[in-house]
Structure formats: C-alpha cells, structure tokens
Amino acid sequence: MITDAQRARLCPVWAWYTMILAAAAAAPALAQEGEGREMRFDASAPPAPAPALEIVPRIGASVSFTDNLYGEADAEDDVYFGLAPGVSVRAVRPRYRAYLDYQADLTKYVEHDEEDDAFHSLTHAGTAELYENYLYLDTQAYIARQLLDPSVTYTSNEPVASRNATTVASYGFSPYLLNRFGGWAESELRYGFTHVVPFDDSRASALSHGVLADIKSGARFVRTHWGLLAEGQRADYSSEDASTDRVVERTRAEADAAYDVNRHLTLLGSIGAEAFDDPTYDEEIGGAIWSAGLTVRPGPLTSLTVRYRYRYERHFWTGEAAWQPSPILRIAASHEQSVTTSQELLASTTGQLGVDDRGDLVDLADVSPAHDRLGLPSYPLNAYAFDLTENTFGLTDQAFNRRFSQLRVSWRPGRNAVEGLAFREERWSDAFDYEQTTYGASVLWGRQLTPAMRGTAEARYRFVDWDSLGREDHIYNAMLGLSYSLGANTTLYADYLATYARRGGIDDITENVVTVGLIKTF
C-alpha cells in the first residue's frame, strides 16, 4: 500500500506525466491502428514509416506457480495471478518526437494474500525543437521496481519479494541552446533538472539542478580539435529520516584537445579543475584534473579510445571500444570510474533515454533500441527483464567509489537474435565500511520459429563478494520462453524461470517459476 507521505511525493510526478500525455493527444494527427508491431529479425528489411501519432493500449493476464515464494531456504510455494494494463504512445511531428510506455502490475496470491501487490512502471523520452536550429527541450522519465538489499534474497521473480523492494521514479527535463559560429566553433548551453524519488521513507530522494556550458571546434579545424567545458550541479537529498538530509555540490572546468596524426590515430589530452563536496564522502575533493590518451581507428566501423586520468584525487584508466564487422554483428566495450550515489546512477540511466526519428525509444549511450529486448515478449508480469547489472547492490544514500567494466555483443543472423553481456563492478567507500565486488555474464537467444511463434532462452551467472558481510554468493539463472501469435493483436506466452543461489555460510536456495499468460493490444 502507498502511504499518504509517498502519495504526496508522487503527485508532482503524475502531474508531469499527465501533461506529457495531454500534449501528445492534442497533436493534429490520427491514431494508427492498434496492431502490435513485430520486430524484423532481417536487418536489411526497410523500417515501416513512422506514425504521426500511435496509441496502443494493452492488457496482460497470467497465472504463475513458484516453489519458493520468498527465495529462502525454507521454501513456500504458491500460485498467483497477474493483471497488467498498459499503453504505449509514439508521437512524431516535424519539431517534436516522443515515446511513452506505462504499465500497472497487479498481483493476487492464492495462499499468501498479505503479499498482494500493485506497482507501476513507466518509460518516457521526448525531444522538441522550440526555436528553429537554436532552442531545444529534452524530457525523460523512468519508474521501476528497485531492490533495497539484494544480499537478503535472490529470486527469479523479484516483485514477489515486495518486502525487500521499492518503486523508484526518476524524471527530468533539459532545455538547451545550440549555436554555430561560422564553422569556427559550436556551442551548447544547457540547464538540467532531475528528481529521483524512492517510494520508501528510509531512502533519500534527490532533487538536482545543473548548468553546463560547452564550446568546441567547428568544421574549419581539420586535424586539430579543441573544447572548453564548464559545469555546476547542486543536489538536495532529503528523506523522512532527517539525519540523511544533505546538499551535494559539484563544479568542473576543463579544456581538452585532440590531434589527428592520421585517419587511424588521434592523440587526446585534457586539463582542468574540479570540486566535489558530499558530507557522506570522506572529505571534499578538489584540485587539478587531467587526462592523456589516444583513439585508434583500424577501420571505418572500428574504434578504440583509452585515457589515463587523474581525477577524484586518484590515477586510473578509462576506455571504450566499438567494432561492427558486419550489419548483423556489433561488439562494444567500456571501462569507467567515478564517485557517485545510487540516486545519481538512476538519474544517469534516465538521462540516457532518447527517441529516434521514428518515435522509438533508444539508448543514447550506444544508439540502440532500449525498450524491447530482441523484439520478444516483455513478460510484463514478472521482473526477469531486469538487467543483469542492475539492482546488484540495492539503494544506498551514501556516496561511493565505483569502477565498472562491460562487454556487449549483439548478433542477429536471419531469424535469430543473440545478445551477450559480461561485466564487472567494484564499489567502495573511504568514509564507511563498504566494499563490494560483482561480476557476471549472460547470453540471451531468440528465434522466430514460425511466422506466428517465437522462442527464447537465456542463461545468467553472477558472483557477488559482500566484503562487509564476509560472504561470497554465486547466482545462476535460466529462462525458457515461448510465445504464439493468435492474431495481429493477441499473443499467448509461457515461460519457465529457474534460480540456484550458493550463498557463502548460508543455506543454498533454489526456485522454479512457471508462467502462462496472454497479452492483448487494442
């Protein structure tokens, strides 16, 4: 149940979403037919034309059985029913593009009715050109379920463990000015507002304001490139527990330069200053920052960038690489290090949501579809769609050091689609007892078995070292899924989820979940 305090915090969020939907509905266009759009596995197939406005309501219903409701050694089984109404909206106008997807998940248990639950999920991104080639506005929003303490339990069906999870809303908007100076320089002046709201009184919300000014060399600079950046941010953290209230401030000024030795090699360098003040961190960070590195481009679709940095009063490496040897195969890797908080990570994830020319949601980090894994059924009545790297350490209000590396592979030959992921993440603090490490890998395979039938299979492994608990966990997950189209608007699906967790010093756990459901679009 949502308390009055939580409802009060949610009101401005829903008011904001209502304005977005009203603006989309007022667009002078006709709604397209509400037929479910199936993804084309053939990468060479031309995309369908973008609709001016498409509103697709849907309803999902399912029945599931789990043999370990709480993911504990003393397993309790139960049958539960799910209902999931939702709607997807795409709007494409000459100067405005937006995507919005909302879903409510309602769960009813046969024996454990005290666990009956209802939660919401929403994803939105939009961009508007307010003044031709000059003034723009971006908007993003994200609501999802987040685990509070993943060390307590592991389960394939994470919303079931509602006592160890909370809904988190993250939303923001960003007006900005773009300008060009006769081919000599290009500038951006941006204001950013973000608000991260956990619906749990023990976790702090974060209200952030930021300003960024960036100017970089224009097209007249052929081999030598330069840039100047200045930014400042203030975030107010607050919760029902006043002891966690604080103000976090960041400022940074940096100049960077690049020189193209030839078409295959570019030298990189930067220098600047930064100040970061967070009462939960060991001490105020300030002083000089710098980096040196290079970008290597062996071919037109291959690049590797490596930098050696001094920042946060530490020396470390960062890098990113991308390789696309064919239209159906893409490989990307990255390595980064930062000082951050759980709320900043959620806001950053929301800020990476964008919308393409067709009104589809994309991940701005790598310009790839962000809302539909392999174009397969999203299984709206369970949480197996949680990314492998998300929710590993739950929500914490303190600032921490974070080192994160990942490798992603996307391969789509013919009627098949394969996605692979490997990652490693370290978190530690200089101010309190906090040191955790995790790494893992997953492989997801989907195949269009017949024109009406799709199959999926996924295997996952994750290792977590809870240093502060003196414990190491190994978690194995597997999923098999099958969906069958009963027509243009109706899909029947069934899936099987299995979990095996080896928890150091604690009893091992297993869980099996079987779900059968129906999704109907209108």
Short mmCIF file of all heavy atoms in Angstrom, two decimals, residues 272-299:
data_model
loop_
_atom_site.label_atom_id
_atom_site.label_comp_id
_atom_site.label_asym_id
_atom_site.label_seq_id
_atom_site.Cartn_x
_atom_site.Cartn_y
_atom_site.Cartn_z
N GLY A 272 42.17 20.58 -16.28
CA GLY A 272 41.14 21.41 -15.69
C GLY A 272 41.18 21.35 -14.18
O GLY A 272 42.19 20.98 -13.57
N ALA A 273 40.06 21.73 -13.58
CA ALA A 273 39.94 21.73 -12.12
C ALA A 273 38.53 21.31 -11.75
O ALA A 273 37.58 21.54 -12.51
CB ALA A 273 40.26 23.10 -11.55
N GLU A 274 38.40 20.72 -10.56
CA GLU A 274 37.09 20.19 -10.14
C GLU A 274 36.97 20.31 -8.63
O GLU A 274 37.95 20.23 -7.89
CB GLU A 274 36.96 18.73 -10.56
CG GLU A 274 35.66 18.07 -10.16
CD GLU A 274 35.58 16.63 -10.63
OE1 GLU A 274 36.59 15.90 -10.43
OE2 GLU A 274 34.56 16.24 -11.18
N ALA A 275 35.74 20.51 -8.16
CA ALA A 275 35.44 20.49 -6.72
C ALA A 275 34.18 19.66 -6.52
O ALA A 275 33.21 19.79 -7.27
CB ALA A 275 35.23 21.90 -6.19
N PHE A 276 34.21 18.77 -5.53
CA PHE A 276 33.09 17.88 -5.24
C PHE A 276 32.94 17.80 -3.73
O PHE A 276 33.86 17.41 -3.03
CB PHE A 276 33.37 16.49 -5.84
CG PHE A 276 32.43 15.42 -5.39
CD1 PHE A 276 31.06 15.63 -5.35
CD2 PHE A 276 32.91 14.17 -5.00
CE1 PHE A 276 30.20 14.64 -4.93
CE2 PHE A 276 32.06 13.17 -4.59
CZ PHE A 276 30.69 13.41 -4.56
N ASP A 277 31.77 18.20 -3.24
CA ASP A 277 31.54 18.25 -1.80
C ASP A 277 30.31 17.43 -1.46
O ASP A 277 29.19 17.79 -1.86
CB ASP A 277 31.36 19.70 -1.35
CG ASP A 277 31.22 19.81 0.17
OD1 ASP A 277 31.50 18.82 0.86
OD2 ASP A 277 30.80 20.88 0.65
N ASP A 278 30.49 16.32 -0.75
CA ASP A 278 29.40 15.46 -0.30
C ASP A 278 29.69 15.07 1.14
O ASP A 278 30.71 14.44 1.42
CB ASP A 278 29.29 14.21 -1.18
CG ASP A 278 28.07 13.37 -0.86
OD1 ASP A 278 27.64 13.35 0.32
OD2 ASP A 278 27.54 12.72 -1.77
N PRO A 279 28.82 15.45 2.09
CA PRO A 279 29.09 15.16 3.51
C PRO A 279 29.27 13.67 3.82
O PRO A 279 29.88 13.34 4.84
CB PRO A 279 27.85 15.72 4.23
CG PRO A 279 27.33 16.78 3.30
CD PRO A 279 27.61 16.27 1.92
N THR A 280 28.75 12.77 2.96
CA THR A 280 28.89 11.34 3.24
C THR A 280 30.20 10.79 2.70
O THR A 280 30.50 9.62 2.93
CB THR A 280 27.71 10.55 2.63
OG1 THR A 280 27.76 10.65 1.20
CG2 THR A 280 26.38 11.10 3.12
N TYR A 281 30.93 11.60 1.95
CA TYR A 281 32.23 11.15 1.46
C TYR A 281 33.29 11.51 2.49
O TYR A 281 33.07 12.33 3.39
CB TYR A 281 32.54 11.78 0.10
CG TYR A 281 33.54 10.99 -0.72
CD1 TYR A 281 33.20 9.76 -1.26
CD2 TYR A 281 34.82 11.47 -0.94
CE1 TYR A 281 34.11 9.03 -1.99
CE2 TYR A 281 35.74 10.75 -1.67
CZ TYR A 281 35.38 9.53 -2.19
OH TYR A 281 36.30 8.80 -2.92
N ASP A 282 34.47 10.95 2.36
CA ASP A 282 35.50 11.10 3.37
C ASP A 282 35.91 12.57 3.56
O ASP A 282 36.05 13.05 4.66
CB ASP A 282 36.71 10.26 3.00
CG ASP A 282 37.74 10.21 4.13
OD1 ASP A 282 37.32 10.39 5.28
OD2 ASP A 282 38.92 10.00 3.85
N GLU A 283 36.09 13.28 2.45
CA GLU A 283 36.48 14.67 2.53
C GLU A 283 36.15 15.34 1.21
O GLU A 283 35.87 14.68 0.22
CB GLU A 283 37.98 14.81 2.82
CG GLU A 283 38.85 14.13 1.78
CD GLU A 283 40.32 14.17 2.14
OE1 GLU A 283 40.64 14.50 3.30
OE2 GLU A 283 41.14 13.88 1.26
N GLU A 284 36.17 16.67 1.21
CA GLU A 284 35.90 17.41 -0.01
C GLU A 284 37.00 17.15 -1.03
O GLU A 284 38.19 17.22 -0.73
CB GLU A 284 35.79 18.90 0.28
CG GLU A 284 35.49 19.73 -0.97
CD GLU A 284 35.36 21.21 -0.65
OE1 GLU A 284 35.28 21.54 0.55
OE2 GLU A 284 35.33 22.02 -1.59
N ILE A 285 36.59 16.82 -2.25
CA ILE A 285 37.55 16.58 -3.32
C ILE A 285 37.71 17.86 -4.12
O ILE A 285 36.73 18.47 -4.54
CB ILE A 285 37.07 15.45 -4.24
CG1 ILE A 285 36.95 14.15 -3.46
CG2 ILE A 285 38.03 15.26 -5.42
CD1 ILE A 285 36.39 13.01 -4.27
N GLY A 286 38.94 18.28 -4.36
CA GLY A 286 39.16 19.47 -5.16
C GLY A 286 40.57 19.48 -5.71
O GLY A 286 41.45 18.74 -5.27
N GLY A 287 40.77 20.34 -6.72
CA GLY A 287 42.09 20.47 -7.29
C GLY A 287 42.12 20.16 -8.77
O GLY A 287 41.09 20.09 -9.45
N ALA A 288 43.31 19.96 -9.27
CA ALA A 288 43.52 19.77 -10.70
C ALA A 288 43.04 18.39 -11.16
O ALA A 288 43.06 17.41 -10.41
CB ALA A 288 45.00 19.94 -11.03
N ILE A 289 42.61 18.34 -12.40
CA ILE A 289 42.28 17.09 -13.07
C ILE A 289 42.93 17.13 -14.45
O ILE A 289 43.09 18.20 -15.04
CB ILE A 289 40.75 16.87 -13.20
CG1 ILE A 289 40.10 18.01 -13.99
CG2 ILE A 289 40.10 16.74 -11.84
CD1 ILE A 289 38.62 17.80 -14.26
N TRP A 290 43.32 15.96 -14.97
CA TRP A 290 43.92 15.92 -16.30
C TRP A 290 43.78 14.51 -16.87
O TRP A 290 43.47 13.55 -16.15
CB TRP A 290 45.39 16.34 -16.28
CG TRP A 290 46.27 15.55 -15.35
CD1 TRP A 290 46.60 15.86 -14.07
CD2 TRP A 290 46.95 14.32 -15.65
NE1 TRP A 290 47.43 14.90 -13.53
CE2 TRP A 290 47.66 13.95 -14.49
CE3 TRP A 290 47.02 13.49 -16.76
CZ2 TRP A 290 48.43 12.79 -14.42
CZ3 TRP A 290 47.79 12.33 -16.72
CH2 TRP A 290 48.49 12.00 -15.55
N SER A 291 44.01 14.40 -18.17
CA SER A 291 43.97 13.09 -18.82
C SER A 291 44.85 13.12 -20.07
O SER A 291 45.09 14.20 -20.64
CB SER A 291 42.54 12.69 -19.20
OG SER A 291 42.07 13.46 -20.29
N ALA A 292 45.30 11.95 -20.47
CA ALA A 292 46.05 11.78 -21.71
C ALA A 292 45.67 10.44 -22.31
O ALA A 292 45.47 9.46 -21.57
CB ALA A 292 47.56 11.86 -21.46
N GLY A 293 45.54 10.39 -23.62
CA GLY A 293 45.13 9.13 -24.23
C GLY A 293 45.18 9.18 -25.73
O GLY A 293 45.80 10.08 -26.34
N LEU A 294 44.54 8.22 -26.35
CA LEU A 294 44.53 8.14 -27.81
C LEU A 294 43.29 7.39 -28.28
O LEU A 294 42.68 6.63 -27.53
CB LEU A 294 45.80 7.46 -28.32
CG LEU A 294 46.17 6.08 -27.75
CD1 LEU A 294 45.46 4.95 -28.48
CD2 LEU A 294 47.68 5.87 -27.84
N THR A 295 42.94 7.64 -29.54
CA THR A 295 41.88 6.91 -30.22
C THR A 295 42.47 6.24 -31.45
O THR A 295 43.16 6.90 -32.25
CB THR A 295 40.74 7.84 -30.65
OG1 THR A 295 40.11 8.39 -29.49
CG2 THR A 295 39.69 7.08 -31.46
N VAL A 296 42.22 4.95 -31.57
CA VAL A 296 42.71 4.17 -32.71
C VAL A 296 41.51 3.72 -33.53
O VAL A 296 40.54 3.19 -32.97
CB VAL A 296 43.53 2.95 -32.24
CG1 VAL A 296 44.03 2.15 -33.44
CG2 VAL A 296 44.70 3.40 -31.38
N ARG A 297 41.57 3.94 -34.86
CA ARG A 297 40.51 3.53 -35.77
C ARG A 297 41.08 2.65 -36.88
O ARG A 297 41.44 3.16 -37.96
CB ARG A 297 39.82 4.76 -36.37
CG ARG A 297 39.08 5.63 -35.36
CD ARG A 297 38.53 6.89 -36.01
NE ARG A 297 39.62 7.77 -36.44
CZ ARG A 297 40.20 8.67 -35.67
NH1 ARG A 297 39.79 8.84 -34.42
NH2 ARG A 297 41.19 9.42 -36.14
N PRO A 298 41.18 1.35 -36.66
CA PRO A 298 41.74 0.48 -37.70
C PRO A 298 40.90 0.45 -38.97
O PRO A 298 41.41 0.22 -40.06
CB PRO A 298 41.76 -0.90 -37.03
CG PRO A 298 41.68 -0.61 -35.56
CD PRO A 298 40.87 0.61 -35.44
N GLY A 299 39.58 0.67 -38.82
CA GLY A 299 38.67 0.65 -39.96
C GLY A 299 37.53 1.61 -39.73
O GLY A 299 37.38 2.20 -38.65
#
